Amino acid sequence: MGNWQDLVAAYKAAGVTVSVPWEAYLQNLSPENIHAIAVARFDGLTRGVAMKVKTHPHGGAHKVVVSPEADGSVMIDSPF
């Protein structure tokens, strides 16, 4: 299994519905980007903090950026 498939399996095991567009989106991300999302989700869930998601255009760095927010939440900024 590729790591995007592992992330989808983890979402499903946690009871999260994975839509066809979301699964297709994950297939197009690099293994490094999938890893960044997985680590951010794990950290947020184990610390019990809110997670926010936003997207940015593909131009420039095609990279997921994870950062802490002032309110204590975790921001996952993904290329779209």
Side-chain angles (χ1 to χ4, degrees):
M1 232 193 253
N3 71 344
W4 72 267
Q5 293 157 315
D6 292 335
L7 183 57
V8 168
Y11 280 137
K12 290 179 179 179
V16 175
T17 300
V18 179
S19 68
V20 171
W22 177 243
E23 192 168 339
Y25 172 75
L26 292 174
Q27 289 179 47
N28 290 313
L29 293 179
S30 71
E32 294 80 16
N33 284 332
I34 294 294
H35 184 261
I37 291 170
V39 168
R41 295 282 187 191
F42 178 81
D43 288 347
L45 289 169
T46 57
R47 292 187 297 124
V49 300
M51 290 174 272
K52 300 176 184 175
V53 178
K54 69 178 183 177
T55 59
H56 60 266
H58 280 254
H62 186 69
K63 183 177 178 182
V64 170
V65 178
V66 176
S67 59
E69 294 285 285
D71 64 2
S73 64
V74 175
M75 173 62 72
I76 302 171
D77 184 1
S78 298
F80 184 69

